Amino acid sequence: MSIKNDVVYQVVARPTGRTGKLVILVLLSVFSVFALGLIAGQWNANAVILKSIELTSINSALESERALLQRSLEEADLLVEVNETATAQLRNRLDEVLLEKSDLEYALTFYENLIKSSAGKGSLEMFEFKAFATEAEGVYEFSILLGQDVRAAKTISGNVDLSIIGTSADRDPVEFTTETSIMGFPLIYKFKYFQDLAGKIRLPVDFQPKRAAIVVRSAGGRSLVERELDWRLDS
């Protein structure tokens, strides 16, 4: 006789609140994940913003430094240019001073020699006559240096007659008059110690000057000095 096994089923009743708890747990988990993600995102965003602010500040500082360096470079370039200009001006001024010194030394030597040569001379003496060619044909510059003994010097005055004698004896001398004068007529002197008279004379184109005749007269017309010199052109 066989024995049958009986299957016994047991119905267990689940508590009604357990499903709700699971749902709440799931929702809490989702919310926690979302909150953590939000917090992490906000943190990262804040970090990015702070980094951006820091980079902006650094960039601003670099830009300020660049502008400062640019200004410094421009000022340095300007300073160099100013220094170069100042150096050039100083060099030119130094050249002018050296030239003035040379001229003064020459003038001092000239006048020292003039004073020495005038010692023992009369009340009036002609020391020098010079003639110079100009670019204009037939036009010549000239100078006549007059002086007196410095130990007995006094103010004197008068006038000078100048005539240019040519090669041909049949040709009259060319006198320094209003017709032949370009500059310096009349030759009137008034000085104490010395005076240099200068003028310009125009000679005929075919005239060949050979000598210069000079007569120095007093204010009363009396002839004080008479000289006839060879015509030589100075450079």
Side-chain angles (χ1 to χ4, degrees):
M1 182 175 165
S2 62
I3 299 174
K4 296 182 180 181
N5 296 327
D6 295 332
V7 178
V8 181
Y9 296 92
Q10 184 178 0
V11 179
V12 179
R14 294 184 177 178
T16 57
R18 186 174 183 181
T19 301
K21 290 180 179 181
L22 290 175
V23 172
I24 293 173
L25 183 59
V26 171
L27 291 175
L28 288 175
S29 299
V30 173
F31 178 77
S32 298
V33 172
F34 178 76
L36 290 174
L38 182 61
I39 294 172
Q42 185 66 32
W43 177 269
N44 291 332
N46 291 337
V48 170
I49 292 173
L50 292 176
K51 193 66 176 178
S52 176
I53 294 174
E54 182 182 358
L55 292 176
T56 301
S57 177
I58 294 174
N59 183 66
S60 177
L62 290 176
E63 184 65 24
S64 299
E65 186 175 358
R66 186 198 66 80
L68 180 61
L69 291 175
Q70 181 67 28
R71 286 195 300 270
S72 299
L73 180 60
E74 293 174 354
E75 292 174 357
D77 292 339
L78 180 60
L79 183 61
V80 169
E81 183 178 353
V82 169
N83 286 338
E84 290 177 351
T85 303
T87 301
Q89 292 176 347
L90 288 175
R91 187 179 295 110
N92 293 335
R93 181 54 186 158
L94 178 60
D95 293 340
E96 293 175 358
V97 170
L98 291 176
L99 182 59
E100 291 174 1
K101 178 177 178 292
S102 177
D103 292 342
L104 289 174
E105 288 177 347
Y106 173 80
L108 180 61
T109 302
F110 174 80
Y111 293 131
E112 285 178 347
N113 293 334
L114 179 62
I115 291 173
K116 291 178 181 178
S117 62
S118 65
K121 302 289 183 181
S123 60
L124 180 62
E125 183 70 22
M126 191 191 79
F127 291 101
E128 189 178 67
F129 171 80
K130 288 185 176 182
F132 308 88
T134 66
E135 295 181 356
E137 185 178 8
V139 176
Y140 298 89
E141 295 181 3
F142 65 87
S143 66
I144 301 173
L145 181 61
L146 304 177
Q148 58 181 316
D149 188 346
V150 295
R151 294 175 299 181
K154 61 181 180 178
T155 301
I156 56 177
S157 62
N159 65 283
V160 177
D161 295 334
L162 171 65
S163 300
I164 309 301
I165 304 171
T167 54
S168 177
D170 58 353
R171 183 154 194 170
D172 295 334
V174 178
E175 296 182 357
F176 186 63
T177 63
T178 54
E179 289 76 19
T180 60
S181 170
I182 297 177
M183 180 191 77
F185 183 84
L187 293 172
I188 298 177
Y189 66 86
K190 184 177 182 180
F191 68 92
K192 183 178 182 181
Y193 301 120
F194 60 87
Q195 184 176 356
D196 192 11
L197 301 176
K200 279 186 181 180
I201 187 172
R202 178 184 283 108
L203 301 178
V205 177
D206 59 345
F207 187 84
Q208 297 295 326
K210 288 297 181 179
R211 295 187 305 279
I214 302 167
V215 179
V216 183
R217 302 183 185 278
S218 66
R222 183 169 59 92
S223 176
L224 301 177
V225 178
E226 295 184 10
R227 294 283 188 277
E228 187 171 314
L229 307 172
D230 290 337
W231 179 269
R232 292 190 180 91
L233 295 179
D234 290 86
S235 56

